[in-house]
Amino acid sequence: MILGIGSDLANIERIAAVLDRHGDRFRNRVFTPTEQRRAEARPPLIAATYAKRWAAKEACSKALGTGLRMGISWRDMAVTNLATGQPVMHVTGWAAARLASMTPPGHEAIIHVTLTDDHPWAQAFVVIEARPVPQPPFQT
């Protein structure tokens, strides 16, 4: 079952301007060290990489049904990538607590995220799904 859906559109040029103006203060407030390493390793695409992750955090907060309020921190949501390049959303802190409270008993929550960019826009969609936890077979 679907627990939440969120989307966001971020302007890459706006994120680039914030990076220029606030630098590490912005990076450290919003992005985890892993997210920063990923973005900084892509010199021609630094701002686009940060913008996609910004959009993903906004979309995730919307899918959690809170937006960025009620105690959710930017760094409570983080995007990493599998070896295939597929983005993966991780939640900690208050975001993880909120996700746990949304998840029905006997289910596990799975966060699906997709990212795209086409200068000057970066976009993210997040879908939170609850899947039944497989029960072990009955033993006699």
Side-chain angles (χ1 to χ4, degrees):
M1 82 181 73
I2 303 299
L3 298 179
I5 300 172
S7 68
D8 193 66
L9 186 65
N11 185 286
I12 296 168
E13 292 171 1
R14 178 176 164 254
I15 297 297
V18 172
L19 287 164
D20 289 343
R21 192 169 40 252
H22 299 289
D24 285 342
R25 185 170 155 235
F26 172 67
R27 282 182 193 88
N28 294 331
R29 185 175 141 251
V30 176
F31 302 100
T32 65
T34 301
E35 290 173 309
Q36 291 180 45
R37 279 191 300 277
R38 170 78 176 190
E40 299 298 326
R42 307 177 78 210
L45 302 171
I46 289 173
T49 302
Y50 279 123
K52 285 187 282 190
R53 277 146 180 76
W54 171 281
K57 291 167 188 268
E58 287 273 7
C60 185
S61 71
K62 293 170 185 174
L64 288 168
T66 63
L68 285 162
R69 58 183 176 82
M70 296 177 61
I72 290 182
S73 163
W74 286 103
R75 290 172 50 128
D76 284 348
M77 300 165 286
V79 177
T80 62
N81 294 82
L82 299 178
T84 61
Q86 177 183 345
V88 178
M89 177 66 71
H90 306 273
V91 293
T92 59
W94 202 94
R98 170 67 180 158
L99 181 61
S101 74
M102 296 170 57
T103 306
H107 289 73
E108 63 180 340
I110 299 159
I111 302 174
H112 303 277
V113 60
T114 185
L115 309 173
T116 191
D117 67 284
D118 187 8
H119 194 85
W121 300 107
Q123 186 174 36
F125 288 97
V126 171
V127 175
I128 302 175
E129 172 189 13
R131 286 188 191 159
V133 175
Q135 299 298 314
F138 181 72
Q139 299 290 323
T140 58

